[in-house]
């Protein structure tokens, strides 16, 4: 009687263990059931004992277990030995039961395309210059000075004007203070004329520099050279009585 009770308890324990182990072990389905070195059921699944070990057949060998491919969605070439035997056994046999190496990293992205070439300039810098001459001790434009300014204005057609700079000068005859004022008046006379031709006043900058930067040197009559008197000296210094005009702007480039 006691023997029967013990056997019943043992059977119950084995069933409990079997249920627990079965719940923990995944099914191992053999791809080719004819060559399986393990016992398989009608589904093609390897049968396990109550302790979760795979039932070996009489023809079992480690080499056959290592060649028996099983269905595993994660590892396509997984073999039965990988699921049914201890690591100490399958590590010694090919193929090793190790996850396949990770896929190689994707190739680096192609380099970005080179930047587009700079756009062709749509405008170019332009400068024009003119000299307006004046009579001695005068700040009134001479006819030839007006003609030069008219030509300058005609060149501004199609130009986006930035600034016009007019710098007035005198000859050396007279005091520094007087000549500085006279040079400023000459520059202003040029500005007034350009404004009368339609140039915006705020685009014109004027400055007087007196007798600075002479373009022609003439000896005094006392030097006993070619110049014999004051009249000849005034005529010789004519190029210095001037206003230098410079125009800065841009205009479209012809394509």
């Amino acid at each position: 009687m006691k023997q029967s009770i013990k056997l019943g308890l043992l059977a119950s324990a084995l069933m409990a263990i079997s249920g627990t182990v079965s719940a923990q072990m995944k099914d191992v389905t053999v791809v080719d059931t004819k060559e399986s070195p393990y016992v398989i059921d009608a589904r093609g699944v390897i049968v396990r004992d109550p302790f979760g070990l795979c039932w070996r057949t009489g023809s079992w060998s480690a080499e056959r277990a290592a060649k028996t491919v099983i269905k595993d969605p994660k590892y396509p070439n997984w073999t039965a030995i990988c699921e049914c035997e201890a690591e100490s056994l399958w590590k010694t046999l090919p193929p090793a039961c190790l996850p396949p190496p990770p896929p190689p990293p994707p190739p680096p992205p192609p380099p970005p395309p080179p930047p587009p070439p700079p756009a062709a300039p749509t405008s170019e810098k332009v400068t024009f210059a003119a000299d307006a001459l004046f009579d001695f001790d005068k700040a009134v434009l001479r006819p030839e000075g007006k003609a030069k300014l008219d030509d300058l204005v005609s060149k501004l057609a199609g130009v986006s004007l930035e600034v016009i700079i007019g710098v007035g000068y005198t000859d050396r005859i007279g005091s520094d203070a007087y000549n500085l004022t006279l040079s400023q008046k000459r520059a202003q006379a040029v500005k007034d004329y350009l404004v009368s031709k339609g140039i915006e006043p705020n685009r014109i900058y004027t400055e007087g520099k007196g007798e600075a930067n002479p373009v022609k040197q003439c000896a005094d009559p006392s030097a006993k050279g070619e110049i014999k008197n004051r009249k000849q000296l005034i005529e010789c210094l004519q190029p210095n009585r001037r206003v230098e005009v410079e125009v800065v702007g841009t205009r479209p480039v012809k394509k």
Side-chain angles (χ1 to χ4, degrees), residues 167-184:
V167 182
Y169 296 94
T170 67
D171 57 31
R172 70 172 187 263
I173 300 174
S175 68
D176 291 345
Y178 182 85
N179 285 338
L180 179 62
T181 301
L182 181 58
S183 66
Q184 292 168 344

Side-chain angles (χ1 to χ4, degrees), residues 50-247:
F51 298 98
L53 302 177
C54 299
W55 285 105
R56 297 176 178 177
T57 66
S59 61
W60 180 92
S61 70
E63 288 77 12
R64 288 187 63 196
K67 295 178 181 179
T68 302
V69 180
I70 62 175
K71 296 178 180 179
D72 191 301
K74 189 174 182 182
Y75 306 123
N77 296 320
W78 215 238
T79 61
I81 197 171
C82 303
E83 290 290 346
C84 293
E85 305 301 334
E87 180 179 348
S88 58
L89 175 61
W90 57 250
K91 265 198 170 182
T92 64
L93 298 171
C97 298
L98 298 174
T122 58
S123 62
E124 63 180 350
K125 203 82 166 179
V126 294
T127 58
F128 304 115
D131 290 339
L133 301 181
F134 294 80
D135 289 330
F136 176 69
D137 199 24
K138 301 294 182 181
V140 179
L141 279 167
R142 294 172 62 165
E144 59 267 31
K146 292 181 179 181
K148 287 185 177 182
L149 294 179
D150 290 340
D151 179 64
L152 187 68
V153 172
S154 68
K155 293 179 180 178
L156 296 181
V159 173
S160 177
L161 180 62
E162 294 180 12
V163 65
I164 296 178
I165 302 170
V167 182
Y169 296 94
T170 67
D171 57 31
R172 70 172 187 263
I173 300 174
S175 68
D176 291 345
Y178 182 85
N179 285 338
L180 179 62
T181 301
L182 181 58
S183 66
Q184 292 168 344
K185 290 180 179 179
R186 288 173 174 171
Q188 183 64 42
V190 169
K191 178 176 181 177
D192 293 342
Y193 186 80
L194 292 175
V195 171
S196 72
K197 296 297 180 177
I199 306 297
E200 297 178 10
N202 60 348
R203 295 288 184 182
I204 305 173
Y205 167 79
T206 60
E207 181 182 6
K209 291 190 176 182
E211 60 191 74
N213 305 326
V215 295
K216 187 173 182 179
Q217 300 289 346
C218 302
D220 289 333
S222 60
K224 298 181 179 181
E226 294 181 359
I227 299 175
K228 305 300 182 182
N229 51 53
R230 178 181 173 88
K231 181 180 179 182
Q232 290 179 340
L233 177 62
I234 291 174
E235 291 177 355
C236 180
L237 294 174
Q238 175 63 69
N240 296 334
R241 299 188 288 272
R242 72 199 188 278
V243 172
E244 294 179 352
V245 182
E246 182 180 9
V247 178

